[in-house]
Amino acid sequence: MEQSHHGAESGPKQRAVEVGTALLTLIFGLIVLYGSVLVGFGWGSDGPQAGFFPFYVGLIICVCSVINVVSGLREDPDELFAENQQLVQVLKVLIPACIYVALVPFLGIYVPSVALIVLFMVWLGHYSWPLSLAVALGVPAFFYVTLERWFMIPLPKGPIEAMFGL
């Protein structure tokens, strides 16, 4: 017979995460509805107004969010969503990824990509520095040649690329 380890485990509860996420999506849906009302969500003489489709998408988001809140409240209040150590592992990826996204508008896509690949390979993957640097420089170079040169799709660039005339 398997014993429950709820007392020894710590971390956020499934119910709280489900309800919290549903409330956040409900707020998002309400913001969409509000914006749609501001720009007009009806049918004008020339067709649907700017907020017509977003209004109904926001309405669907709100209805589904309310359903998810009700469903979340039915969850076992003691069931764990994840243990704290599991959340730490997720944060080791999430925080650098968020920093990467925040840096792209200022530094372009290439320099932050090199830094992120090196960080993940050395810190989380425990790969050697030479291999990590080779991959970190090779991947953006591949995408530069493929996307920007062959397919002529411009990617965000920063001051470093400007110095090199890229």
Side-chain angles (χ1 to χ4, degrees), residues 24-140:
L24 285 174
T25 59
L26 177 61
I27 290 168
F28 173 74
L30 291 172
I31 291 169
V32 171
L33 287 176
Y34 178 74
S36 298
V37 169
L38 286 180
V39 299
F41 67 96
W43 200 268
S45 60
D46 58 346
Q49 293 177 311
F52 183 82
F53 292 109
F55 178 83
Y56 289 102
V57 170
L59 192 60
I60 291 168
I61 291 170
C62 288
V63 169
C64 291
S65 296
V66 168
I67 292 169
N68 287 338
V69 167
V70 171
S71 175
L73 289 173
R74 293 181 178 160
E75 292 282 337
D76 177 3
D78 295 324
E79 183 180 350
L80 280 179
F81 170 71
E83 293 180 17
N84 287 334
Q85 188 56 35
Q86 293 170 319
L87 293 176
V88 167
Q89 290 299 104
V90 170
L91 291 175
K92 284 181 178 180
V93 174
L94 182 63
I95 291 171
C98 289
I99 292 169
Y100 168 80
V101 169
L103 289 176
V104 167
F106 303 102
L107 299 176
I109 198 160
Y110 298 109
V111 172
S113 294
V114 169
L116 185 71
I117 293 169
V118 166
L119 176 76
F120 280 166
M121 288 187 71
V122 171
W123 181 41
L124 298 178
H126 306 290
Y127 289 96
S128 69
W129 276 96
L131 176 62
S132 299
L133 287 171
V135 171
L137 293 171
V139 169

